[in-house]
Amino acid sequence: MKITFAKTAIDSAPKGYLRVRFTEEPRGTKRFVREDGTEWLELGVGKAKDLTNRKYTILIRSIVQAAKQQSARKIAVSFKATPTLWENVSFASEERGAQLFAESVVMANFEFRSFKTKPKEGWKDVEEILICDPATPAMRAGIKKGLIIGEAVNATRELSNTPGGSMTPKGLAKAAKAAVAGLPVTVQTLDRAALKKLGMGLLAGVGAGSSDEPTFTIMTYKGGKPTDKPIVLAGKGITFDSGGLNIKPSSSIYEMHLDMSGAASVIHAVALAAELKLKKNVIALVPAAENMLGNGATRPGDILTSLSGKTVEVTDTDAEGRLVLADAITYAKRFKPGVVVDVATLTGAAMVALGFHASGLMTRDDTLADQLLNLGEESGDYVWRLPLWDEYETVIKSDFADMQNHSIGGGRYGGATNGAIFLWQFAKELGCPWAHLDIAPRMTAARGEELAKGAAGAPVRLLIAFIESWKA
Ligand code: BES
Ligand code: MN
Ligand code: ZN
C-alpha cells in the first residue's frame, strides 16, 4: 500500500481514482455515485460532535473495505474538503493522527489468503491512497510510521492465521528469525533436548505429547544504552491447542491454531522496535509447543518441575499456556529486566468477562496498569484491568505439589484471574514490574471492526507504543 499527497483539490484528482466524499449522514451510510465519468464513494460520518478517535479508525478502515468491494485499486480522499466534520477528533499530535490513518488503511487491506488460489483478475487490494490535502512534515512522518506499524500488525496476523499443521514450534522459531531478517536482532532457539537440560520442565511437559518438539526462542534487540535494563516480552506460542488429554470439545477446538498469537505479537513487536530504530533494549521470549495427545503426553495428575524449581500438579492439561509462560517468566529473570509483559491467549474466561473488544490486563503495579490502559486507548489495542489479589491464590493450592495449574476444588469462576495468579507465583520473583495481557478476547477480529476474518494482530500497536514510552 502506498499513501501519497497531492496539491490538487479532490475534484481534480487523476482519472481512475475512487474519490471519497464524507457527509453528515449517519455512520454506516455508504453510496457509490457516478458524476461526469468519475466514481465517488459517499460515506456517512455522522454528526461531528459524535465522532471519536475510536469511530474515526473504523470509518477510515471502511473506506478500504468499500473500495475492495468495488474493485477500486486507487482511492482519493480529502479531509480539508469537509473540515467541520472532523472538529471533534483530536489526536495527541498531527503525526499521531496521520499514523492512525495509515495503520487503519493497511490493516483493513489485509486478508489471509496464502492458501488460496489467486483469481485470474488478481486480488482486490487497494494499491494507493492519494490524500488531496497539503502535507506537513509531521503528517509525512506519521504516515511513514503508520505504514510500517500496519504492515507489522498484518505480518502478525499472517503468522497467527497459519494453520497448526503448517506452523509447528520449530516453524515458529523460523518465523521469528525471518521476521528480523536484515535487522539488528539476534535470535537463539533451544530445542527439546536443550530446554529440558536447562530445566524447563513445564514447557517440556506441555510439548511432550507432540512429535513436533517444543522450542524456546530468545530474540534480542539492543537499541538502548548497555546499562538500560531491557523490556522483556514473553508470548504464548502454542501452535495448536487440542487441550491435551483433557481434550477440548469440538465446539472449542476449531480456532486453536491461533493459540500462538501472543508469540506472533511479541516477535513482530521486537522486529518493529528494530525497524523503527527505537533506542530501547527489548527481548522477546517465545516458549513454543504443540499441546497434543500422544504416548508421551503429560497426564492429568502428573507433577512437573518448573525452571524456578517450584513443582506444579497438572490438574488440567488444557491450562497449558500458563505452564509454558511460567518457564519463560523465570527465564526472563536472567536479563535483570526493567519490566516484563507477557501476552497470551490464556483463557476463555477473559472472553466471558470482556467480550471481543478488550484484552484483559492483570498486574500488581498500578503505575504500569495506568500506562498500559492509556496506551491501549491511544493505540487502538484496548485493554481492561481485572483483579490480581492475594485472595485468589487459594484456588491454585495443590495437595501434592507446590501449586496446581487449574482450580480443582477452587471453583470454576474468575478464570482469567486464576490464570494470572498462577503466573504471578513466578513473576513475583522477578523483582521488577510485570503485567499479563490475556488477549484471548482479541484473538480474532470482532464484528464491526472492518477487518478481515481471522487473527486481529493484537496487541502489536500497544506493545510498540509501550516500548517507545518506557523510561529505562
Ligand atoms: N487457549 C485456551 C484459551 C482460549 C480459548 C483462547 C478460546 C482463545 C479462545 C487455553 O489454553 C485454555 O484452554 N484455557 C482453558 C483454561 C482452563 C482449563 C483452566 C479455558 O479457558 O477453558
Ligand atoms: Mn488450553
Ligand atoms: Zn491454550
Side-chain angles (χ1 to χ4, degrees):
M1 164 101 66
K2 227 169 55 179
I3 300 178
T4 45
F5 288 91
K7 290 210 174 70
T8 53
I10 189 155
D11 303 278
S12 42
K15 254 195 154 27
Y17 283 72
L18 174 66
R19 300 176 188 176
V20 182
R21 181 182 288 144
F22 298 108
T23 75
E24 245 201 10
E25 289 170 286
R27 270 188 324 125
T29 309
K30 189 179 73 183
R31 194 181 306 114
F32 295 98
V33 290
R34 240 184 136 67
E35 275 171 20
D36 310 325
T38 45
E39 193 90 41
W40 285 85
L41 163 65
E42 291 186 344
L43 268 188
V45 177
K47 296 270 176 267
K49 66 169 176 37
D50 298 327
L51 190 63
T52 59
N53 290 30
R54 285 180 174 229
K55 289 176 183 163
Y56 169 84
T57 308
I58 304 295
L59 179 82
I60 297 304
R61 289 181 189 162
S62 76
I63 300 173
V64 173
Q65 299 299 0
K68 283 181 153 213
Q69 194 190 333
Q70 203 73 351
S71 305
R73 296 183 196 280
K74 296 176 172 197
I75 310 173
V77 296
S78 165
F79 295 95
K80 295 279 152 65
T82 48
T84 54
L85 284 179
W86 315 106
E87 276 167 356
N88 202 43
V89 189
S90 63
F91 303 109
S93 66
E94 206 179 34
E95 178 174 340
R96 271 291 308 161
Q99 182 188 329
L100 196 58
F101 176 87
E103 285 173 7
S104 304
V105 292
V106 171
M107 285 173 69
N109 212 18
F110 173 85
E111 281 169 62
F112 179 63
R113 55 194 177 201
S114 302
F115 291 77
K116 274 184 159 180
T117 305
K118 192 173 180 171
K120 276 198 282 304
E121 64 281 11
W123 301 111
K124 295 180 175 181
D125 285 336
V126 173
E127 287 158 7
E128 187 193 338
I129 298 185
L130 184 66
I131 304 176
C132 300
D133 292 323
T136 63
M139 278 163 80
R140 286 190 196 277
I143 293 286
K144 193 171 163 207
K145 191 168 165 190
L147 286 172
I148 294 172
I149 294 177
E151 293 297 350
V153 173
N154 290 351
T156 305
R157 295 161 81 193
E158 177 73 29
L159 185 52
S160 297
N161 279 324
T162 305
S166 306
M167 182 52 65
T168 61
K170 274 192 172 158
L172 192 56
K174 264 195 203 141
K177 241 191 142 70
V180 295
L183 293 168
V185 178
T186 60
V187 182
Q188 187 201 351
T189 296
L190 309 181
D191 62 9
R192 179 162 5 219
L195 65 88
K196 264 189 160 172
K197 191 163 166 229
L198 194 66
M200 293 186 150
L202 302 185
L203 176 56
V206 171
S210 174
S211 52
D212 283 307
E213 59 178 284
T215 57
F216 187 75
T217 297
I218 306 119
M219 306 172 75
T220 311
Y221 168 64
K222 289 183 174 156
K225 293 199 268 310
T227 51
D228 288 350
K229 290 181 174 176
I231 299 164
V232 178
L233 307 174
K236 173 178 173 181
I238 299 300
T239 57
F240 187 77
D241 181 10
S242 70
L245 282 161
N246 291 102
I247 193 166
K248 286 182 182 292
S250 40
S251 54
S252 18
I253 207 166
Y254 169 58
E255 284 178 326
M256 283 303 123
H257 61 289
L258 295 165
D259 211 19
M260 34 58 75
S261 296
S265 75
V266 303
I267 288 169
H268 283 285
V270 192
L272 202 44
E275 204 176 342
L276 297 173
K277 301 189 174 69
L278 300 186
K279 294 190 168 54
K280 306 288 156 104
N281 296 331
V282 190
I283 292 165
L285 302 177
V286 180
E290 190 181 35
N291 190 21
M292 289 295 261
L293 304 78
N295 253 319
T298 295
R299 306 151 191 82
D302 279 0
I303 295 175
L304 306 175
T305 303
S306 68
L307 180 62
S308 75
K310 290 183 176 131
T311 57
V312 178
E313 183 189 5
V314 179
T315 42
D316 196 317
T317 60
D318 199 11
E320 83 297 339
R322 63 199 71 182
L323 295 175
V324 304
L325 277 172
D327 275 347
I329 289 168
T330 301
Y331 191 86
K333 205 178 161 191
R334 68 180 59 200
F335 301 108
K336 299 190 173 60
V339 62
V340 176
V341 178
D342 77 70
V343 186
T345 47
L346 208 74
T347 65
M351 302 167 76
V352 174
L354 298 167
F356 292 109
H357 295 284
S359 296
L361 160 65
M362 283 145 273
T363 177
R364 285 290 175 95
D365 191 298
D366 293 342
T367 313
L368 181 57
D370 288 343
Q371 192 184 358
L372 288 166
L373 280 164
N374 290 333
L375 291 171
E377 184 62 45
E378 221 178 89
S379 65
D381 279 328
Y382 311 132
V383 299
W384 200 252
R385 196 174 182 185
L386 296 170
L388 188 71
W389 303 321
D390 283 341
E391 283 83 344
Y392 291 92
E393 284 183 341
T394 57
V395 305
I396 54 165
K397 287 237 165 0
S398 164
D399 293 320
F400 309 114
D402 295 339
M403 65 189 97
Q404 60 164 325
N405 73 329
H406 191 17
S407 54
I408 303 291
R412 61 192 191 88
Y413 299 112
T417 290
N418 295 348
I421 207 76
F422 179 90
L423 295 176
W424 172 242
Q425 306 312 306
F426 301 86
K428 62 167 76 154
E429 312 291 339
L430 283 168
C432 73
W434 162 81
H436 162 60
L437 295 174
D438 191 334
I439 62 163
R442 298 294 305 136
M443 185 170 82
T444 54
R447 264 192 187 190
E449 275 195 293
E450 302 285 349
L451 295 177
K453 278 246 163 69
V460 172
R461 289 171 297 162
L462 168 58
L463 291 176
I464 202 66
F466 177 70
I467 294 169
E468 273 192 291
S469 70
W470 181 255
K471 304 253 184 306

